Amino acid sequence: MSYSKKTRRSFLRTIGLSAIVLAATPFSRAATIPDKRPNILFIMSDDHASHAISAYGSKVNKTPNIDRIAKEGMRFDNCFCTNSICSPSRAVILTGKYSHLNGVVDNLVKFDGSQQTLPKLLQQAGYKTAIVGKWHLKSQPTGFHYSNILPGQGAYHNPVMIENGKSKKHTGYVTDLITDSALNWLRKQGSSTEPFFLMLHHKAPHANWEPDKKHMKMYSDKDIPLPTTFNDDYENRTSQIKNHMLHVGPTQWKLHFKRFGSIPEGLTEQQTREWVYQKYMKNYLRCIASVDDNIGRVLDYLDQSGLSKNTIVVYTSDQGFFLGDHGLYDKRFMYEHSLRMPLLMRYPKHIEPASTTDAMVLNLDFASTFLDYANTPIPADIQGRSFTSVAHCRTPENWRSAMYYRFHEEAYGIGPHEGIRTGRHKLIHFLYGDMGWELYNLDKDPNELQNIYALAENRKLIKDLKAALASLRSKYKVTQ
Ligand code: CA
């Protein structure tokens, strides 16, 4: 009996104390106690392929600052986009929904900013939100306390930027200016008690690949090695990979390099392709060198300001890119170099340094993941899945074993296609031209040179993959 009385007294004391603490919380928190939820710094460049990052084993360049994020965090080896093109990937990231549901199926559609988005949800949860740099969604940003964006594609040199709706012309190089703007905003957060979500979006290294003065002569005394598939003859493939305009060569020169004059005369067809490849790659990599330098500035600032410990730092790109692979440049196709996104993530409290994962994650998952880290409910209509457990080296047993891809646009001779990628296979259905199918065994043929769709021995496999593709279409509410 005495034990019960004591327990009861103790319980009442506890309740009383809790009541005082609870009553005091709103005042104390607003005045002095910082919100311990993590800050999220989302750095995204435009068209930066993972095979141009040394942390991913690049054979063509070094990216020491981007590599710091990998050394101090996780490298995701199988991050894929659901629609490999600029505006659509950005809309998927903002909404956590496939293109057919968020509305931005191609680069021509205006993003409907009245819909539910990640920054709006974080804002409602008490985050300070900002976007700096490339927006590329035609409508004005919504859900941000601060925005300073490039109009459309923006300019590499002396760009106009739109700060909270007001246009201003700047002097300097775009990658430096975007970084300056992001650092200024971070400094202004100072001792704010609220956590922040900052989207730092670089224009580089998107076409027309215009470097700054500092890196203009980089690589001028060396040749960039050709990728092993540069001379792919497209045997066994559908007509799509042959019949479009995005091959490295004279058409690329005409579209993107007019400023340099003409291609030298007297070169053979092969020499011309290789000559254009060198010009393309050197300028592309010079733009990346500036991105890397500027990421170093941001990481240094986080260290100096004491923000590193409680800030999740993400580095990614809106999709992959062909670096002469299959003789191509650009993206769009479901082939690996275009489908794969770089994804590095650092969060000292929870992510092990130098960890890696081959679990399949998607740009579709980013919204859920950041909401999860922000301890904020994930709305049921968001289609992505939080990968925080993957990032913490505890991948659930029921993690996805296949992803659905859908490209909607028809431009440069590349048309709509869809497909499924599992850990081992990829099945692509071109819904354009000859409406053909392609099947690859990624274990045996990681470069996707052998389309094995027509082989009789693969009939059962194809039937199973088509059933899985239909199931993913149904899961993601694809009706067309
Ligand atoms: Ca892009």
Side-chain angles (χ1 to χ4, degrees):
M1 192 68 182
S2 62
Y3 176 80
S4 300
K5 274 184 183 170
K6 192 180 168 191
T7 306
R8 187 167 176 270
R9 272 200 304 275
S10 164
F11 175 70
L12 287 172
R13 264 206 311 274
T14 309
I15 288 284
L17 201 60
S18 299
I20 291 164
V21 170
L22 282 172
T25 296
F27 301 99
S28 311
R29 186 177 171 125
T32 56
I33 300 174
D35 189 328
K36 285 297 180 191
R37 288 178 298 173
N39 303 306
I40 303 167
L41 172 56
F42 180 78
I43 309 172
M44 181 162 75
S45 54
D46 194 336
D47 293 357
H48 189 180
S50 55
H51 51 313
I53 294 176
S54 33
Y56 278 95
S58 168
K59 292 173 181 158
V60 291
N61 68 336
K62 296 260 187 282
T63 48
N65 292 297
I66 294 172
D67 292 2
R68 275 167 67 185
I69 306 172
K71 277 182 200 143
E72 295 161 10
M74 177 170 269
R75 188 189 73 208
F76 292 78
D77 287 344
N78 283 316
C79 178
F80 301 117
C81 58
T82 55
N83 184 357
S84 181
I85 190 163
C86 309
S87 305
S89 180
R90 287 158 200 274
V92 169
I93 289 166
L94 283 173
T95 60
K97 294 176 185 172
Y98 268 88
S99 308
H100 61 280
L101 295 187
N102 69 46
V104 183
V105 290
D106 56 33
N107 269 350
L108 306 173
V109 177
K110 191 181 199 176
F111 181 69
D112 173 8
S114 69
Q115 66 185 299
Q116 171 184 279
T117 63
L118 169 66
K120 283 185 190 173
L121 292 165
L122 287 174
Q123 214 173 33
Q124 285 158 21
Y127 270 68
K128 275 283 187 69
T129 61
I131 176 153
V132 172
K134 191 157 181 182
W135 170 247
H136 199 220
L137 285 164
K138 294 185 186 288
S139 55
Q140 287 305 301
T142 53
F144 296 97
H145 293 102
Y146 176 79
S147 64
N148 193 14
I149 58 164
L150 297 168
Q153 293 283 3
Y156 269 107
H157 295 279
N158 305 326
V160 169
M161 291 184 76
I162 306 168
E163 186 177 28
N164 291 335
K166 278 191 182 170
S167 290
K168 187 181 167 189
K169 189 161 170 72
H170 295 261
T171 304
Y173 188 64
V174 72
T175 309
D176 300 332
L177 292 166
I178 289 170
T179 307
D180 292 346
S181 176
L183 289 174
N184 284 341
W185 187 79
L186 285 173
R187 283 189 196 103
K188 278 184 192 156
Q189 299 319 297
S191 55
S192 169
T193 54
E194 298 151 313
F196 66 78
F197 173 58
L198 170 59
M199 302 187 96
L200 197 179
H201 290 185
H202 285 297
K203 166 188 172 61
H206 190 278
N208 290 329
W209 314 295
E210 295 175 25
D212 62 354
K213 268 190 194 156
K214 185 182 165 192
H215 300 95
M216 192 64 89
K217 292 190 174 163
M218 209 174 175
Y219 309 109
S220 55
D221 57 349
K222 62 178 275 192
D223 277 351
I224 307 297
L226 292 171
T228 54
T229 60
F230 187 71
N231 294 315
D232 185 357
D233 61 6
Y234 311 135
E235 198 183 341
N236 296 322
R237 258 60 60 77
T238 62
S239 64
Q240 271 289 276
I241 194 165
K242 290 176 209 165
N243 301 334
H244 65 83
M245 299 165 65
L246 304 176
H247 297 90
V248 173
T251 308
Q252 180 188 16
W253 185 264
K254 216 166 150 187
L255 283 170
H256 303 290
F257 289 113
K258 272 187 185 163
R259 65 189 186 276
F260 293 131
S262 308
I263 297 173
E265 286 181 17
L267 300 179
T268 63
E269 189 185 331
Q270 179 69 9
Q271 284 168 337
T272 301
R273 291 178 64 230
E274 293 185 12
W275 188 85
V276 173
Y277 170 80
Q278 292 299 331
K279 291 281 182 193
Y280 155 48
M281 284 300 291
K282 287 180 184 182
N283 284 303
Y284 177 82
L285 296 176
R286 288 164 184 154
C287 292
I288 289 170
S290 168
V291 170
D292 189 68
D293 284 357
N294 276 291
I295 285 175
R297 289 175 64 204
V298 173
L299 296 178
D300 288 348
Y301 175 75
L302 294 180
D303 286 346
Q304 288 152 13
S305 60
L307 284 168
S308 288
K309 202 174 157 189
N310 197 39
T311 300
I312 296 170
V313 179
V314 178
Y315 183 74
T316 189
S317 174
D318 54 352
Q319 13 56 214
F321 215 67
F322 295 105
L323 307 181
D325 313 284
H326 301 285
L328 311 178
Y329 72 101
D330 209 74
K331 52 258 182 179
R332 300 164 200 268
F333 280 116
M334 197 193 167
Y335 301 128
E336 289 292 276
H337 301 96
S338 154
L339 180 70
R340 185 180 300 282
M341 301 164 74
L343 178 63
L344 306 168
M345 196 154 86
R346 182 183 86 176
Y347 184 16
K349 280 184 192 168
H350 295 288
I351 300 181
E352 244 182 74
S355 52
T356 63
T357 180
D358 59 6
M360 223 183 275
V361 301
L362 309 176
N363 56 350
L364 186 76
D365 300 327
F366 291 178
S368 302
T369 303
F370 300 151
L371 290 169
D372 200 6
Y373 272 127
N375 200 21
T376 301
I378 302 165
D381 61 346
I382 285 189
Q383 296 181 306
R385 182 174 174 185
S386 165
F387 56 77
T388 54
S389 52
V390 173
H392 303 167
C393 297
R394 294 195 301 269
T395 303
E397 284 194 6
N398 66 351
W399 192 252
R400 75 164 61 82
S401 55
M403 61 86 57
Y404 172 71
Y405 179 83
R406 179 62 183 261
F407 183 76
H408 297 258
E409 195 173 280
E410 188 180 323
Y412 301 106
I414 301 173
H417 55 285
E418 67 173 359
I420 180 172
R421 189 202 190 280
T422 67
R424 183 174 293 170
H425 294 104
K426 185 186 291 180
L427 180 71
I428 311 175
H429 187 200
F430 289 98
L431 310 163
Y432 182 81
D434 60 8
M435 309 283 278
W437 291 83
E438 294 182 5
L439 172 66
Y440 298 96
N441 181 323
L442 300 169
D443 278 353
K444 292 182 182 165
D445 176 28
N447 284 322
E448 300 166 300
L449 295 168
Q450 299 296 323
N451 172 20
I452 53 172
Y453 184 81
L455 299 183
E457 68 198 51
N458 291 322
R459 272 183 203 146
K460 167 78 168 62
L461 171 67
I462 290 168
K463 192 179 164 201
D464 291 347
L465 285 171
K466 284 185 178 175
L469 176 62
S471 164
L472 287 176
R473 282 176 55 96
S474 162
K475 175 181 176 173
Y476 292 123
K477 302 181 167 58
V478 183
T479 54
Q480 289 188 321

